[in-house]
Amino acid sequence: MPDKCPGSDTRFIKVEVHKCDKCGYEVEFFSDEVNTRCPKCKNTVYREKTPSCIDWCKHARECIGEERWRQIKNLMDEPVEDNREDYKDKVSIEMKKYFGKDIRRILHSEKVLAYTEEILKKEKGNRSVVIPAAILHDIGIKECEKKYNSTDGQLQEKEGPPIARQILEKLNILPETIDEVCKLIASHHSPGEIDSTNFKILWDADWLVNLRDEVDTKDKEKLTKLIEKIFTTQAGKDLAYKIYLGKE
């Protein structure tokens, strides 16, 4: 390794442009900066990932050696591992940013997510697929209201997947995971289109939230029959009996 890093000369630092997520103004970053302030609205704008000299300095190979440079570059370029601890949090943050002040939709997503996690304790679904699908299942509703002045389920299935894909690609989620999440969102109001454990978990979690608004929960006999008819996993049925009928 050289005595002095040849990349320390500021002539080799590049300028990048990122849009302010608050006002949309194009903010300039030096390639060694983590964040900067938007000159228009004074919002703090962050780079999508922490900068590294490996990323931008043309002397990186010389500085750390060819073998180590290749190892680090491969790690930096890999997609996000789907079982990482912060995976759920990153998707949730993007969902909340998208819905903005629409607290009702945010709370619904969070409730469905909570029930999804409860069901996953007993059902063998793929967490890396079901968790983001639960968070983003209604992500198309905002576009439906804008385009069609409607919240129709089939319209949500149409508008939701492209928005979910954009969010997940931004987070560098594995392409095959994104594809399956989008398939679930594209059918989450249409039972029978997908026959998988992942779909059943999402379906049941959504109904655990919606059941109160869709049926008369005071009619216990009718409610029992509906729970048996609607819910597709044993864990989902057990939770429905517990929540709506007080049965353990």
Side-chain angles (χ1 to χ4, degrees):
M1 184 181 295
D3 293 335
K4 183 180 179 181
C5 174
S8 61
D9 189 330
T10 56
R11 290 177 298 172
F12 298 113
I13 296 177
K14 297 183 293 186
V15 175
E16 302 175 7
V17 175
H18 293 266
K19 282 189 177 181
C20 173
D21 56 10
K22 187 174 182 180
C23 72
Y25 186 84
E26 292 190 339
V27 181
E28 290 186 347
F29 277 81
F30 287 112
S31 51
D32 61 345
E33 288 182 318
V34 176
N35 60 67
T36 190
R37 192 172 292 278
C38 174
K40 184 177 180 181
C41 69
K42 309 305 179 186
N43 177 47
T44 301
V45 183
Y46 294 88
R47 282 171 52 110
E48 291 186 5
K49 63 179 181 178
T50 304
S52 164
C53 61
I54 308 301
D55 233 353
W56 56 266
C57 181
K58 70 177 185 179
H59 296 287
R61 290 189 182 193
E62 176 188 352
C63 188
I64 66 173
E66 179 72 18
E67 183 177 355
R68 182 59 178 153
W69 182 85
R70 288 182 178 276
Q71 289 175 346
I72 294 174
K73 276 295 290 180
N74 286 339
L75 287 173
M76 288 169 64
D77 293 339
E78 284 180 357
V80 174
E81 288 295 332
D82 287 347
N83 59 357
R84 281 178 50 167
E85 194 66 30
D86 62 352
Y87 180 62
K88 174 181 72 176
D89 294 336
K90 286 183 177 181
V91 180
S92 293
I93 288 169
E94 293 301 320
M95 176 272 294
K96 290 173 184 176
K97 284 165 65 176
Y98 183 81
F99 279 134
K101 295 180 180 180
D102 193 343
I103 303 301
R104 178 186 172 193
R105 271 43 184 279
I106 292 172
L107 289 176
H108 175 77
S109 174
E110 290 181 335
K111 288 176 184 177
V112 173
L113 172 61
Y115 285 133
T116 297
E117 293 192 287
E118 283 299 310
I119 295 172
L120 277 167
K121 291 177 182 178
K122 295 184 179 179
E123 304 291 337
K124 294 182 180 180
N126 185 338
R127 182 181 176 87
S128 67
V129 171
V130 183
I131 291 297
I135 296 168
L136 301 176
H137 73 285
D138 277 350
I139 203 72
I141 201 167
K142 188 175 174 181
E143 194 67 15
C144 289
E145 290 174 326
K146 180 181 175 182
K147 282 186 177 180
Y148 315 107
N149 194 29
S150 171
T151 59
D152 178 75
Q154 275 63 52
L155 293 175
Q156 288 184 47
E157 291 177 339
K158 175 184 175 183
E159 299 296 336
I163 300 167
R165 183 175 295 277
Q166 186 176 19
I167 289 171
L168 296 175
E169 286 178 348
K170 176 182 177 183
L171 297 175
N172 202 25
I173 304 302
L174 296 171
E176 56 267 35
T177 299
I178 295 174
D179 288 343
E180 188 171 354
V181 170
C182 289
K183 285 179 183 178
L184 294 184
I185 294 171
S187 298
H188 78 280
H189 283 286
S190 303
E193 289 187 355
I194 300 176
D195 184 22
S196 69
T197 301
N198 290 336
F199 177 82
K200 291 174 182 177
I201 293 170
L202 176 62
W203 173 264
D204 283 6
D206 200 18
W207 264 107
L208 283 168
V209 180
N210 292 334
L211 191 62
R212 185 175 284 105
D213 298 325
E214 299 293 333
V215 302
D216 180 8
T217 57
K218 293 178 182 178
D219 186 337
K220 302 304 180 184
E221 185 178 347
K222 182 179 180 181
L223 185 57
T224 299
K225 291 179 180 178
L226 283 171
I227 288 173
E228 286 297 321
K229 181 180 179 180
I230 290 171
F231 289 87
T232 59
T233 68
Q234 189 58 52
K237 287 180 183 179
D238 291 344
L239 280 169
Y241 278 122
K242 182 178 179 180
I243 295 165
Y244 291 101
L245 294 170
K247 295 182 179 181
E248 293 292 340

